Amino acid sequence: MRFLLSSFGFLFRITLLGMCFRAFVAFYLNIWQFTELSKISETFGAFLYGWHFDLAIGSVVYLLLYWLILLFKLSPKATKRWNFLLLWTYIVFIVTDSLYARETGRHLSYEVYSLFTVEGSMLNLVGRYWLAVLISLLSTSFLNLWLTPTYKPQSGIVGRLFAMLMVAMIAVIGFRGFEGIPQDVSWAYRAGGGPQGAVVALNGAYGIVWAALGGKKSSKEVIQSSDHINTAQVYKNWRDKRGINQPIGKFDGNVVIVFLESWWGTDVGKIDEEGTEVLPFFNKLRKESLSTELFLAGGHRTTEGLFASLCSLPNPLGKSIMFSEIESKDFTCLPRLLTEKGYSSAFFQGSDQFTSGTALLVLKSGFQNSYGKREIPNVESLEQNAWGVFDESLYSFVESKMNELPEPMLIGVNTNSTHDDRLPAKADRKRYKTTRYWADHELQGFYEKLLKRKWKKDWVLVLVADHTTYGGASIFEHYSIPFLMKYHSVAKKGASPVEHRLLPGAYSQVDVAATLADLTGSKAPDFIGRSLLRPNDFSSGASVFHLGQSAWFDGDWSVVFNIRIPGEKKCFNWKNDMSFAHPLPCPSQGEKMYEEGLSYIKESQEELFR
């Protein structure tokens, strides 16, 4: 009993200590200010949520200290010395992380590998902030009196072994966060409050320990380039004509973006062997909308598609930013820009909202609310596939939540019916042969309900796949996705700011946020996409990356090259050869396309990881 009381008492005190540390860091980083205490309420909920991380790092200290006590039968004096060392290490991690956050705006976390180079070297860091080191030593001496456990180990070997197992069990539960899986640092975005909320919620020492234990390596790929190509200059020339520097739109209405789970661009306009359209509703709506000849996905996972579409930036090559060393980096994304304009916002998934870190990403991007299948009332009574609810149930939930949000609003939806190959019981198997046919039918039902909704402001609908599946035979098929944007006027008069036409050439997911920023009058110089409202005002070109190869699209042509073999390239006319099976002599602009494609993929990655 004394052992358990000592254990829980120690964990309680060290968790409380972590909360005090985080409060101090919040003031140090000027997220909280004594002169404006009212602003604390904006992130106080996130601060309270952070006890999960405080307990987690406290559990690490608890495990190390109590095992030392039990293994070596430490005396009270020896226990106090070890406790001082562990506690000082804890405080040094907190101080180091806060210094890093002061200069970068984010926690050290996955960038722990650069711990010794933040200021050139660890010694330089200590020398520059010697006062902080001194204060940490004095603080540790004072706190050591309060925090040192009083538990005395049992003398018997069996009793000590049993106690060690108990310590391990308690520590693992505390570290894992009661969720069944270790809590990644990105879980700080669960706390709400956007990037600042995540900074306040996350215990910096936990971020460092998590990164060290997880063995995270850099997600940045090494890209080879020819000596004769000045990739930095070529990219600068191209980049200077990207970014929404002077937006032209004044739209202040509602935005609904539906990310169509795993839809293929090759299904658009496709007729099956029996003469039936695969996507009849989408095809019909596309003819009445702004669309493109070719639209390319930014990756192969939902988080990759969302990041490219919402933040108008490329993903790490072949990876997502989530659970990488840049997941805590602060990116300016469309939802945050619209929030600053007074928009309410919510994102919805038919699967669990935290699958692959999706909810964490959308909250990071600036969405104010995130919902998944577990948030749907009476979800147990709804028919589901292996991932979650079918789209019809998801759309109904979206409609109900939209009624609670003030306009203008930003709504994001990630569908689920096409997440596997199961059809609902009520689907006519002869008419709806696969989930793609059925999902198109469900989408039509949602659209018709949106049309009947009593909107106060005009609204724009964006339909775009988050990614394709892995069944494609070529780069083209792996990344070609459906896309359209349709404008709706409440007054049904006046010119539409979104021209309904088919744009020739290739575009990509990074253009979604850029177009909506341009439409809503939101400056976004960091965006790398081009506005589809005026595509000729921007540098042309769209890029995809697949298994070491990159394809750069411009007009009717694509240049494919290996990022590790400089100078080697193949050219394809993607309109005539969608399988990329027959390379052709490169056109006159082929070398320029190669230089731009190589420079883009190399320098945009440098920009992403900078």
Side-chain angles (χ1 to χ4, degrees):
M1 180 59 71
R2 289 181 59 190
F3 166 73
L4 289 177
L5 288 175
S6 177
S7 294
F8 293 132
F10 181 85
L11 287 171
F12 173 77
R13 294 195 302 277
I14 201 166
T15 300
L16 186 61
L17 181 65
M19 297 185 74
C20 293
F21 284 156
R22 287 189 296 108
F24 174 81
V25 170
F27 282 110
Y28 176 69
L29 299 178
N30 291 320
I31 297 174
W32 292 359
Q33 296 180 22
F34 288 109
T35 56
E36 294 185 73
L37 293 177
S38 60
K39 286 193 173 182
I40 294 178
S41 61
E42 296 175 7
T43 55
F44 192 70
F47 170 75
L48 293 178
Y49 177 90
W51 74 267
H52 294 82
F53 299 108
D54 301 327
L55 174 61
I57 186 62
S59 297
V60 175
V61 177
Y62 163 73
L63 176 68
L64 294 174
L65 181 62
Y66 273 62
W67 268 17
L68 284 168
I69 294 172
L70 293 164
L71 273 173
F72 301 108
K73 296 180 62 176
L74 296 182
S75 67
K77 283 187 177 181
T79 298
K80 189 168 290 187
R81 293 191 193 100
W82 278 105
N83 190 64
F84 176 89
L85 180 61
L86 292 171
L87 186 56
W88 185 63
T89 303
Y90 184 1
I91 294 176
V92 166
F93 282 178
I94 287 284
V95 170
T96 303
D97 179 77
S98 61
L99 293 175
Y100 183 82
R102 184 68 176 261
E103 298 197 2
T104 66
R106 62 184 187 268
H107 286 291
L108 186 57
S109 60
Y110 283 126
E111 297 181 21
V112 66
Y113 59 84
S114 64
L115 180 62
F116 292 88
T117 59
V118 174
E119 292 291 331
S121 72
M122 192 63 176
L123 288 177
N124 287 342
L125 185 69
V126 172
R128 181 174 174 180
Y129 296 102
W130 63 270
L131 183 59
V133 175
L134 179 61
I135 291 174
S136 70
L137 285 168
L138 294 175
S139 300
T140 306
S141 299
F142 172 75
L143 292 171
N144 195 38
L145 300 174
W146 172 65
L147 196 62
T148 304
T150 56
Y151 170 71
K152 295 180 180 179
Q154 298 181 26
S155 57
I157 184 69
V158 175
R160 294 211 308 276
L161 286 174
F162 177 76
M164 288 181 68
L165 289 175
M166 288 291 293
V167 168
M169 183 178 70
I170 293 171
V172 167
I173 292 173
F175 188 82
R176 292 167 75 91
F178 309 100
E179 299 266 354
I181 55 174
Q183 49 195 353
D184 189 274
V185 295
S186 64
W187 284 22
Y189 284 93
R190 286 187 176 189
Q196 286 196 329
V199 172
V200 170
L202 181 63
N203 184 305
Y206 177 80
I208 292 174
V209 170
W210 168 258
L213 293 177
K216 294 289 182 179
K217 300 294 190 290
S218 175
S219 296
K220 185 178 175 183
E221 289 275 0
V222 176
I223 301 168
Q224 303 294 333
S225 62
S226 302
D227 293 337
H228 72 280
I229 302 176
N230 187 339
T231 57
Q233 187 60 51
V234 173
Y235 178 71
K236 182 181 183 303
N237 295 339
W238 180 89
R239 187 73 171 87
D240 284 346
K241 294 182 180 179
R242 286 290 177 115
I244 307 302
N245 297 295
Q246 298 294 330
I248 62 171
K250 297 180 180 179
F251 176 72
D252 65 349
N254 305 288
V255 179
V256 180
I257 309 176
V258 182
F259 292 95
L260 305 164
E261 174 65 40
S262 304
W263 282 35
W264 286 25
T266 48
D267 279 342
V268 176
K270 183 178 179 179
I271 308 295
D272 66 18
E273 295 176 354
E274 298 176 10
T276 304
E277 283 186 280
V278 177
L279 306 174
F281 170 69
F282 184 91
N283 294 336
K284 177 179 179 297
L285 194 63
R286 182 170 179 254
K287 294 174 183 177
E288 307 165 1
S289 308
L290 173 65
S291 189
T292 65
E293 279 189 303
L294 175 62
F295 207 75
L296 299 165
H300 253 317
R301 299 176 66 189
T302 299
T303 50
E304 294 169 28
L306 292 180
F307 181 69
S309 300
L310 297 174
C311 304
S312 193
L313 290 170
N315 286 279
L317 298 182
K319 305 177 184 72
S320 166
I321 71 161
M322 299 312 295
F323 313 128
S324 77
E325 73 272 23
I326 60 170
E327 70 171 356
S328 60
K329 185 178 178 180
D330 189 17
F331 298 102
T332 300
C333 304
L334 178 71
R336 190 194 303 182
L337 294 176
L338 295 186
T339 296
E340 292 171 356
K341 284 182 168 290
Y343 275 67
S344 60
S345 59
F347 191 89
F348 302 84
Q349 290 173 255
S351 58
D352 186 290
Q353 63 166 316
F354 293 108
T355 300
S356 300
T358 301
L360 307 174
L361 175 62
V362 299
L363 291 170
K364 175 184 176 65
S365 73
F367 273 98
Q368 297 157 12
N369 301 284
S370 175
Y371 303 98
K373 67 178 182 180
R374 300 183 193 281
E375 287 68 50
I376 300 176
N378 303 313
V379 66
E380 298 82 6
S381 64
L382 300 175
E383 189 174 5
Q384 301 185 38
N385 59 22
W387 289 86
V389 299
F390 287 97
D391 293 348
E392 188 174 31
S393 298
L394 175 62
Y395 290 142
S396 295
F397 179 57
V398 173
E399 293 167 47
S400 67
K401 283 295 182 182
M402 286 173 66
N403 293 332
E404 301 174 8
L405 296 175
E407 297 186 26
M409 67 178 76
L410 168 66
I411 300 297
V413 184
N414 180 211
T415 62
N416 191 63
S417 286
T418 46
H419 228 145
D420 66 13
D421 57 3
R422 187 182 308 174
L423 283 165
K426 69 177 182 180
D428 182 346
R429 264 61 174 178
K430 291 183 179 180
R431 181 178 180 184
Y432 304 108
K433 304 164 190 177
T434 68
T435 55
R436 290 174 291 166
Y437 292 73
W438 178 252
D440 182 71
H441 167 72
E442 291 177 299
L443 178 62
Q444 180 177 2
F446 179 55
Y447 178 70
E448 290 172 352
K449 289 182 179 179
L450 291 178
L451 289 177
K452 295 176 183 177
R453 179 183 171 81
K454 293 182 179 179
W455 297 94
K456 296 177 182 178
K457 289 178 172 286
D458 293 356
W459 56 287
V460 63
L461 173 69
V462 179
L463 300 180
V464 60
D466 56 348
H467 55 79
T468 64
T469 55
Y470 292 89
S474 70
I475 292 179
F476 179 92
E477 290 174 318
H478 266 278
Y479 296 95
S480 173
I481 57 174
F483 165 80
L484 66 81
M485 181 181 294
K486 184 169 176 60
Y487 186 87
H488 298 80
S489 172
V490 173
K492 301 188 186 308
K493 61 181 180 180
S496 168
V498 180
E499 186 178 354
H500 296 165
R501 66 185 179 119
L502 183 69
L503 297 174
Y507 299 82
S508 66
Q509 283 180 325
V510 296
D511 301 328
V512 174
T515 302
L516 291 172
D518 201 27
L519 177 66
T520 56
S522 304
K523 283 189 176 182
D526 293 336
F527 283 5
I528 209 165
R530 55 177 162 168
S531 171
L532 303 185
L533 304 183
R534 48 189 179 112
N536 294 333
D537 292 351
F538 300 85
S539 302
S540 61
S543 176
V544 297
F545 172 82
H546 184 68
L547 300 178
Q549 287 190 312
S550 179
W552 180 255
F553 293 79
D554 194 347
D556 297 347
W557 287 89
S558 177
V559 174
V560 179
F561 56 91
N562 192 302
I563 65 170
R564 297 181 182 88
I565 306 177
E568 188 175 289
K569 64 182 183 293
K570 294 180 180 179
C571 296
F572 302 88
N573 186 303
W574 62 263
K575 282 188 178 181
N576 300 326
D577 181 15
M578 292 187 177
S579 64
F580 282 21
H582 307 290
L584 298 172
C586 290
S588 58
Q589 73 273 26
E591 184 62 29
K592 179 176 181 290
M593 287 179 64
Y594 169 67
E595 290 184 5
E596 284 190 342
L598 175 64
S599 300
Y600 168 85
I601 201 166
K602 185 175 188 298
E603 300 301 330
S604 67
Q605 290 295 299
E606 293 291 338
E607 195 172 49
L608 184 67
F609 283 87
R610 189 171 300 136

